[in-house]
Amino acid sequence: DAGVTQSPTHLIKTRGQHVTLRCSPISGHKSVSWYQQVLGQGPQFIFQYYEKEERGRGNFPDRFSARQFPNYSSELNVNALLLGDSALYLCASSLGPVNEQYFGPGTRLTVT
Amino acid sequence: RKEVEQDPGPFNVPEGATVAFNCTYSNSASQSFFWYRQDCRKEPKLLMSVYSSGNEDGRFTAQLNRASQYISLLIRDSKLSDSATYLCVVSTGGFKTIFGAGTRLFVKA
């Protein structure tokens, strides 16, 4: 069975640009969460979506947005990129909002 | 105070040693608890869920103390392959999942 997949693997953007990251959950999982991880820190919670609705949001500015599609895949959008947005962006899927989460390999975003 | 706090690392232990990691959380409404391990430049992988009754999986034992808002992970008979960062994870009923900063473990021959 396929695990969580994310695309792209790596991405380089310039300050002020916009980026869209994509995630496909494990088949049967209805919840997708997004995290930002910078070197030396644990993943920081950005969003959780369950049944196509936003159910939880971390302390990130409005430049960060996301959505979940009818097939439960998800997109994370970041507008007006800053240098500080450079990080590994992780997507995790789970059966429900409080179940074990399984992570994809991440998208490494570099903002120059 | 951070929502989830872990022992600062790194822990350097010889093969065969027993090592314990501790974690405290601040939100008493937290519902689910997990330990993940993360290898360098890889995604976190679920190690085990943590239940009030405690649970064991081979060399790994996890404990939860809701009264003290404390979670622990014990690794017995450490192997070289156990070298990684161990992340304590807490989920609240408000659909928010918080990771600790992680504790690095180095197991040496």
Side-chain angles (χ1 to χ4, degrees):
Chain A
D1 287 342
V4 178
T5 59
Q6 291 185 244
S7 63
T9 306
H10 294 86
L11 201 53
I12 300 175
K13 290 286 191 178
T14 304
R15 274 179 300 177
Q17 286 188 316
H18 162 270
V19 68
T20 297
L21 310 181
R22 296 178 175 82
C23 172
S24 290
I26 292 170
S27 177
H29 284 193
K30 298 183 178 180
S31 180
V32 170
S33 297
W34 287 95
Y35 297 85
Q36 180 195 69
Q37 187 174 28
V38 298
L39 199 62
Q41 295 182 22
Q44 299 295 306
F45 174 75
I46 309 176
F47 287 110
Q48 183 181 65
Y49 277 76
Y50 177 61
E51 289 286 15
K52 293 153 281 184
E53 292 186 12
E54 181 185 307
R55 300 300 184 108
R57 185 183 185 112
N59 296 325
F60 280 81
D62 291 343
R63 299 185 296 108
F64 289 76
S65 64
R67 53 180 176 168
Q68 187 176 33
F69 298 100
N71 66 354
Y72 301 106
S73 67
S74 178
E75 283 183 355
L76 175 70
N77 295 284
V78 187
N79 293 323
L81 285 166
L82 302 174
L83 295 178
D85 294 332
S86 295
L88 179 67
Y89 288 84
L90 293 161
C91 170
S93 79
S94 57
L95 285 170
V98 295
N99 296 104
E100 296 90 347
Q101 296 185 15
Y102 297 88
F103 284 82
T107 294
R108 193 163 296 279
L109 172 66
T110 303
V111 182
T112 62
Chain B
R1 182 185 173 189
K2 291 183 179 179
E3 292 180 87
V4 177
E5 293 199 71
Q6 295 188 236
D7 282 349
F11 282 46
N12 292 285
V13 302
E15 273 188 294
T18 295
V19 61
F21 300 138
N22 302 313
C23 172
T24 57
Y25 60 95
S26 61
N27 188 340
S28 59
S30 299
Q31 295 185 334
S32 304
F33 309 88
F34 309 94
W35 283 101
Y36 283 74
R37 70 169 277 168
Q38 186 172 27
D39 294 291
C40 189
R41 301 187 71 81
K42 297 284 191 180
E43 72 273 21
K45 292 190 184 297
L46 178 68
L47 184 63
M48 57 199 311
S49 302
V50 188
Y51 306 115
S52 296
S53 55
N55 48 308
E56 186 174 315
D57 183 3
R59 298 181 294 109
F60 299 84
T61 301
Q63 297 276 352
L64 167 63
N65 185 322
R66 285 188 183 271
S68 300
Q69 295 180 201
Y70 169 94
I71 307 161
S72 65
L73 177 69
L74 185 76
I75 305 176
R76 291 181 298 278
D77 189 23
S78 299
K79 311 291 184 191
L80 294 175
S81 58
D82 293 334
S83 296
T85 297
Y86 290 83
L87 298 160
C88 172
V89 183
V90 175
S91 287
T92 69
F95 299 91
K96 189 175 179 183
T97 301
I98 306 299
F99 279 72
T103 302
R104 292 199 72 180
L105 172 66
F106 295 98
V107 181
K108 299 184 176 182

